[in-house]
Amino acid sequence: MTAHDPALPPRPNSAPTIYAYDEYDRAFVRERVAEFRGQVERRLAGALTEEEFRPFRLMNGLYLQLHAYMLRVAIPYGSLTSRQMRQLAYIADKWDKGYGHFTTRQNLQYNWPKLVDVPDILEALADVDMHAIQTSGNCIRNVTADHFAGVAADELEDPRPTAEFLRQWSSAHAEFSFLPRKFKIAVSGAEHDRAAIKIHDIGLRIVKNAQGAIGYEVIVGGGLGRTPFVGKLLREFLPRADLLAFLEAILRVYNRFGRRDNKYKARIKILVHETGLDEIRTQVEAEFAAMDRAPFAYDAQELERVVAAFAPPAYESLPARSDALEKAKAENTEFAAFAAVNVAPHKVPGYAIVTVSLKPIGGIPGDATAAQMRALADAADTYGFGELRVSHEQNIILPHVKQDDLFALWRDLSAAGLATANAGLISDIISCPGLDYCALATARSIPIAQAISERFADLERQRLIGKLGIKISGCINACGHHHIGAIGILGLEKKGVESYQITLGGDPTLSASIGELLGPGVSAEEVPDVIESLVQFYLAERREGEAFIDTWRRLGHKRFKESARREGEDGSGI
Amino acid sequence: MALVSDGAFIADEWRRLADEESLPGSGKVIVSLGRLPAAREDARLTALGVYVANTTDPKALAPYFARLALIDIAFPAFTDGRGFSLARLLRREGFVGELRASGRLTPDQYLHAVGGGFDTIEIPDELAAHHGEANWAKARQARSLSYQRGVAGGASILERRRKGVA
Ligand code: HEM
Ligand code: SF4
């Protein structure tokens, strides 16, 4: 029996389990679109120079790439409905080349929009309560959160209401729209950090204090780019009611004192590093104490309204174990592999969280065609209360699927080419666009991801290797998060040739660490060989249940380095 | 120089004094921070203003508020947002006179300036020719709603929700 059986009652998928705009949110976004339409018209008429237009197009998500404009659409805290996903597909078909690219910051990028069309695209987004506000530029960026929010078994509190408050507070902020540099905030409400809060300008972790009150641990000054830093603890416990005022205080200190003389030293991580954490803390606390907090007065009713918007869907009460699932796994080994790798435990008995990989073997990480977006929307409607998530690993999540339905879902996904069973495995690679699209790139990155994916195409071998994050950037700006990959790859250019630096030991979670350099760069062709040798060394050395990063931590960087050097002697060229 | 107030170009009654010019016997005069202690004592001036860098410590200006009718904050580049924070801090310190932003600001920043507490914006003539008065008038009305207090139409969206008014 599957969900397609007409005998089954229709799923209660109409009530969205994510924040729906009220009249104010809707009017605000419409006004913002109209304002930007005016700016585009003035730009096209020559009344705005590119220099004048630039910050305003960036704060509306419009980036100038190597070949064309790129439009970055916000998927705040990674949540979206099937209706919104269908609209993203519609936009891809109508104004782009029939696909989109899901990024590491819970955004979707269109690579080929025409400037003159962009206001219409933004209008089409507004039709489904979406926007591209502050997905680029030196302002507070789209706020990200744990993609398992609301369904993870290890969760203290759903981070999305907090993130929605931040979305509203930061939107078109009068004071903080011309910061020294971009500003990224991530929120996590669970024991495990799936939002990489320690590599954000501000990371917020929802915690409970000794008195049982909910508040936030505030981390500041993390970031990647050319000088990576792990964020530092600014405030151990911030009462919930103080959140917006405290963030306002941090941003004011940063806006006033962050460096503006060198854009590579302009992020708050550099201010914290150069000024010292204690001094920054003193300044922030002084500002917080002095400011008028009335505009941020705690409003229990408003909190209730926003929290209610994220109420769980109408789950059925089910046994924890699904016989249908067990039977399907026993009968179909391919499905069993998918269930073992791409399915995570849900906090409600009988349900599961499904990761749909956007990393087909040899494909472009994070790309989805319009047809695939529609297939995902359909799958969400049929099996998952019409809700989807976007993860910073550039995958799509179906957060509430009945275990009984997993097999049927898998068949539907297979038909759409979306059932690659590699979530978290070596071919689940994060990669930036690199030289194929990006004006700043020093090397290709997508083809490297494809080559590694092809090399490890055998999914059974991938499962044997286990959890291993490879992350690739096409230049020092680190959009592909290479610093925090268990294996990180950075594409550089040396005397006109691409050269790839490999780092080991990066970690995006609460145990965050920046990867260490393996040795001199290698050529594009050599990268898969080097990865292969590292993997073989790991397989030979690992202990029972040890992931790559654990073995690396136990043995130390030196051992891995030596192993790679030995390989180098017979020609792999490290 | 052109002066924008409430979405219109208006005549500037103030005279900005270069440091080498001596204080005139009367009128509304804007001086540099360095001359402020001396100018404060000059009772002949009708009104006194000061122009400051966006890195100025707001507390250093507070002792002069009683005599100051205008503070002019320089925007060295239109993308340098420090002036927006300084304006807010000056208001918080209790400055109630005219707050002026001067530099190459564009109409697209008008609401940011208003939200920070600025009353007027002073731009070079050539920029005023490029972005005419109509642009500024339109930009003043670009949005009727804001999530922050004081930016567009006074109350923030949060406050409007609370009151249940549109
Ligand atoms: C294609 C055009 C792109 C350009 C020109 C670009 C440019 C940049 C630059 C200059 C930085 C460094 C900023 C800094 O360190 O201050 C950066 C960082 C970053 N970008 Fe991009 N990017 C592009 C695409 C992307 C894509 C497609 C993604 C997601 C897949 C992405 C995600 C990020 C992330 C996560 C960071 C690191 C944030 C940090 O430093 O903490 N970018 N980008
Ligand atoms: S890491 Fe470099 S090459 Fe890759 S997208 Fe970012 S700026 Fe472009």
Side-chain angles (χ1 to χ4, degrees):
Chain A
M1 191 156 96
T2 76
H4 288 310
D5 289 351
L8 278 177
R11 304 240 169 242
N13 59 24
S14 49
T17 52
I18 73 172
Y19 182 78
Y21 285 6
D22 72 356
E23 58 188 301
Y24 296 109
D25 300 307
R26 215 160 268 150
F28 172 83
V29 170
R30 291 285 181 196
E31 285 187 348
R32 202 81 185 87
V33 173
E35 186 181 16
F36 188 57
R37 188 182 290 279
Q39 288 163 346
V40 169
E41 280 163 10
R42 279 156 62 218
R43 173 72 193 116
L44 290 170
L48 273 181
T49 64
E50 163 56 20
E51 194 204 342
E52 289 169 331
F53 181 49
R54 191 169 180 277
F56 301 100
R57 68 165 162 75
L58 288 176
M59 62 180 83
N60 282 287
L62 194 60
Y63 216 108
L64 201 51
Q65 291 199 112
L66 198 53
H67 310 291
Y69 280 107
M70 170 268 273
L71 181 68
R72 193 181 275 161
V73 176
I75 301 170
Y77 35 87
S79 284
L80 77 168
T81 62
S82 54
R83 173 165 173 255
Q84 292 173 324
M85 184 66 109
R86 282 197 188 90
Q87 189 77 341
L88 294 176
Y90 167 78
I91 292 170
D93 273 339
K94 177 153 184 185
W95 288 291
D96 206 285
K97 296 187 177 178
Y99 69 96
H101 177 78
F102 289 94
T103 80
T104 53
R105 291 209 74 257
Q106 302 182 319
N107 295 315
L108 173 91
Q109 289 182 186
Y110 293 113
N111 282 314
W112 309 99
K114 286 207 244 351
L115 179 57
V116 55
D117 292 333
V118 171
D120 290 341
I121 300 176
L122 297 183
E123 205 79 62
L125 289 170
D127 287 345
V128 293
D129 293 355
M130 291 184 84
H131 59 71
I133 294 169
Q134 289 162 219
T135 53
S136 291
N138 296 334
C139 47
I140 302 168
R141 299 290 190 85
N142 179 34
V143 177
T144 56
D146 184 350
H147 46 265
F148 286 178
V151 292
D154 66 338
E155 189 170 85
L156 178 63
E157 182 183 288
D158 188 337
R160 292 173 302 164
T162 294
E164 172 59 24
F165 269 101
L166 298 186
R167 183 190 73 83
Q168 297 188 21
W169 160 74
S170 62
S171 286
H173 199 294
E175 187 178 345
F176 305 136
S177 291
F178 300 90
L179 297 169
R181 202 76 179 82
K182 58 174 128 179
F183 204 93
K184 302 178 177 178
I185 306 177
V187 194
S188 155
E191 207 172 299
H192 296 279
D193 175 15
R194 285 170 291 261
I197 61 169
K198 288 200 164 172
I199 55 147
H200 281 75
D201 296 280
I202 293 179
L204 297 172
R205 187 159 160 246
I206 300 174
V207 291
K208 205 180 250 180
N209 69 3
Q211 289 73 46
I214 292 274
Y216 302 94
E217 180 182 291
V218 183
I219 314 265
V220 71
L224 300 173
R226 54 188 71 203
T227 14
F229 281 102
V230 172
K232 302 169 180 75
L233 185 63
L234 185 67
R235 178 73 105 85
E236 207 163 320
F237 185 81
L238 180 71
R240 192 206 291 283
D242 290 338
L243 179 66
L244 294 184
F246 195 74
L247 292 193
E248 186 115 342
I250 299 176
L251 264 296
R252 189 161 298 136
V253 167
Y254 171 57
N255 193 36
R256 292 182 69 202
F257 303 116
R259 286 181 63 173
R260 291 177 188 258
D261 59 324
N262 178 341
K263 75 170 184 172
Y264 300 117
K265 296 192 188 294
R267 296 284 292 271
I268 196 173
K269 62 188 174 186
I270 304 290
L271 179 68
V272 171
H273 178 67
E274 291 182 349
T275 314
L277 180 64
D278 291 338
E279 175 58 24
I280 290 292
R281 185 181 292 123
T282 306
Q283 291 177 6
V284 169
E285 295 286 354
E287 174 58 30
F288 179 62
M291 72 195 288
D292 172 17
R293 293 186 218 155
F296 311 106
Y298 187 56
D299 185 339
Q301 216 179 321
E302 176 66 358
L303 178 68
E304 221 170 90
R305 183 183 79 87
V306 174
V307 167
F310 295 99
Y315 296 121
E316 294 166 48
S317 66
L318 298 166
R321 195 188 129 98
S322 155
D323 293 335
L325 170 62
E326 295 310 321
K327 185 161 171 281
K329 284 202 293 196
E331 284 170 3
N332 186 318
T333 50
E334 224 184 313
F335 169 66
F338 177 86
V341 174
N342 289 36
V343 176
H346 195 287
K347 69 178 182 188
V348 175
Y351 284 85
I353 306 171
V354 176
T355 298
V356 181
S357 166
L358 295 182
K359 323 288 176 66
I361 299 304
I364 298 178
D367 271 11
T369 64
Q372 288 177 326
M373 291 182 214
R374 288 193 186 95
L376 286 163
D378 290 347
D381 277 342
T382 312
Y383 307 107
F385 298 97
E387 192 190 335
L388 305 112
R389 306 281 176 80
V390 181
S391 75
H392 81 263
E393 286 97 358
Q394 303 181 278
N395 291 320
I396 302 294
I397 313 291
L398 294 171
H400 343 259
V401 180
K402 263 208 278 191
Q403 291 182 17
D404 291 349
D405 288 341
L406 283 171
F407 183 63
L409 168 66
W410 175 75
R411 278 196 319 206
D412 289 2
L413 291 175
S414 301
L418 288 167
T420 314
N422 64 348
L425 302 183
I426 193 169
S427 63
D428 186 0
I429 299 170
I430 291 181
S431 169
C432 81
L435 205 52
D436 293 284
Y437 293 100
C438 179
L440 304 178
T442 42
R444 295 167 301 154
S445 47
I446 291 171
I448 304 299
Q450 290 171 314
I452 297 170
S453 173
E454 303 273 12
R455 169 66 67 98
F456 292 93
D458 180 358
L459 282 166
E460 203 176 314
R461 178 149 185 254
Q462 291 196 34
R463 282 197 299 283
L464 179 80
I465 297 166
K467 229 173 127 56
L468 206 176
I470 296 187
K471 303 181 198 269
I472 310 175
S473 304
C475 83
I476 197 160
N477 286 315
C479 301
H481 289 190
H482 65 274
H483 297 298
I484 48 165
I487 298 180
I489 302 173
L490 165 63
L492 296 168
E493 190 224 279
K494 282 221 175 93
K495 302 190 188 92
V497 232
E498 290 165 319
S499 166
Y500 294 85
Q501 274 188 357
I502 294 174
T503 48
L504 300 181
D507 175 3
T509 68
L510 288 181
S511 46
S513 55
I514 305 293
E516 293 175 39
L517 196 60
L518 188 64
V522 300
S523 72
E525 296 68 42
E526 287 163 331
V527 172
D529 295 334
V530 177
I531 307 292
E532 179 79 51
S533 78
L534 288 167
V535 165
Q536 275 174 16
F537 178 70
Y538 154 68
L539 289 176
E541 295 290 334
R542 79 170 162 192
R543 290 185 181 156
E544 181 74 27
E546 228 177 27
F548 183 89
I549 179 99
D550 302 323
T551 306
W552 178 84
R553 280 191 174 134
R554 178 172 56 81
L555 292 178
H557 188 58
K558 204 159 146 255
R559 289 286 308 281
F560 274 82
K561 221 171 152 160
E562 281 162 8
S563 87
R565 194 166 297 129
R566 273 201 304 280
E567 286 296 319
E569 282 155 17
D570 48 82
S572 71
I574 286 206
Chain B
M1 293 291 171
L3 192 64
V4 191
S5 170
D6 257 334
F9 288 170
I10 60 163
D12 191 356
E13 296 170 356
W14 289 84
R15 183 166 156 221
R16 184 191 298 261
L17 227 53
D19 272 348
E20 55 280 8
E21 290 177 88
S22 53
L23 287 175
S26 64
K28 297 173 137 188
V29 178
I30 308 175
V31 298
S32 67
L33 190 56
R35 289 180 82 177
L36 196 51
R40 172 164 67 173
E41 307 306 327
D42 191 333
R44 297 171 305 164
L45 300 173
T46 318
L48 181 63
V50 64
Y51 56 89
V52 296
N54 62 9
T55 48
T56 305
D57 179 1
K59 290 211 160 27
L61 282 173
Y64 300 95
F65 283 173
R67 180 69 173 100
L68 275 176
L70 178 147
I71 300 176
D72 176 344
I73 301 172
F75 279 68
F78 80 107
T79 49
D80 185 337
R82 281 178 284 197
F84 297 123
S85 283
L86 180 56
R88 184 164 287 243
L89 291 174
L90 287 170
R91 288 295 187 217
R92 187 165 86 203
E93 290 294 324
F95 180 67
V96 292
E98 177 178 340
L99 260 185
R100 183 180 287 200
S102 61
R104 303 189 59 83
L105 280 88
T106 82
D108 309 280
Q109 293 172 295
Y110 202 175
L111 289 179
H112 299 90
V114 170
F118 284 106
D119 303 291
T120 50
I121 297 177
E122 186 180 321
I123 53 173
D125 286 330
E126 127 285 322
L127 197 64
H130 181 49
H131 303 296
E133 191 174 13
N135 279 322
W136 288 93
K138 195 168 168 218
R140 183 73 183 82
Q141 310 297 332
R143 275 175 276 136
S144 65
L145 289 168
S146 169
Y147 290 103
Q148 300 94 37
R149 181 188 277 186
V151 179
S156 71
I157 288 175
L158 193 70
E159 290 166 320
R160 289 175 206 229
R161 270 188 194 130
R162 218 176 284 161
K163 290 200 214 91
V165 296

